[in-house]
Amino acid sequence: MSLQCAHCYKSFSIAKVTGSRGKGLSVEVQCPHCLAWLGHNKLLAIAKIVGFYGGVISAAIGYFVEGVGFITTPLIILAFIMVGISHVMDHLLLIEAPENDPNLAPTVK
């Protein structure tokens, strides 16, 4: 799987990541090219997890319980839409720029 840095816009492989910090949903990785720290949006990750498990639970209830198809079918559709939208919007975000970044230096006029 290839990731794209939100700072230098270069692609890199997960296998080339040497620096990481945090655990769970707050994990951050360091770009091997520009040494910027990158992470995911926690709210989108939570929405993706809730949508996935909500859809699975609704599908299981709809399959095993009679007469609830009119409730579970729209819930499955909404869960599928929620997972799709949160997956498309979930990109790497710049958490911390590198210290020696020339783009962040103040310019004097």
Side-chain angles (χ1 to χ4, degrees):
M1 182 177 171
S2 180
L3 301 173
Q4 185 178 14
C5 179
H7 183 67
C8 67
Y9 301 107
K10 293 182 182 177
S11 295
F12 59 93
S13 173
I14 294 176
K16 292 184 180 179
V17 172
T18 56
S20 66
R21 61 186 181 192
K23 291 185 180 182
L25 295 178
S26 62
V27 69
E28 298 173 0
V29 295
Q30 192 172 27
C31 174
H33 301 291
C34 67
L35 302 177
W37 287 97
L38 310 167
H40 287 282
N41 189 337
K42 294 175 195 169
L43 292 176
L44 290 174
I46 291 171
K48 194 184 308 183
I49 292 169
V50 167
F52 175 77
Y53 285 113
V56 169
I57 291 169
S58 296
I61 290 172
Y63 183 77
F64 290 113
V65 178
E66 254 182 71
V68 294
F70 66 94
I71 296 172
T72 57
T73 303
L75 288 177
I76 294 168
I77 293 169
L78 290 174
F80 179 72
I81 291 170
M82 188 167 152
V83 169
I85 289 174
S86 62
H87 182 70
V88 168
M89 293 176 59
D90 193 18
H91 298 286
L92 286 175
L93 302 173
L94 180 64
I95 304 296
E96 184 179 324
E99 294 176 6
N100 57 358
D101 187 13
N103 296 332
L104 298 177
T107 57
V108 178
K109 291 184 179 181

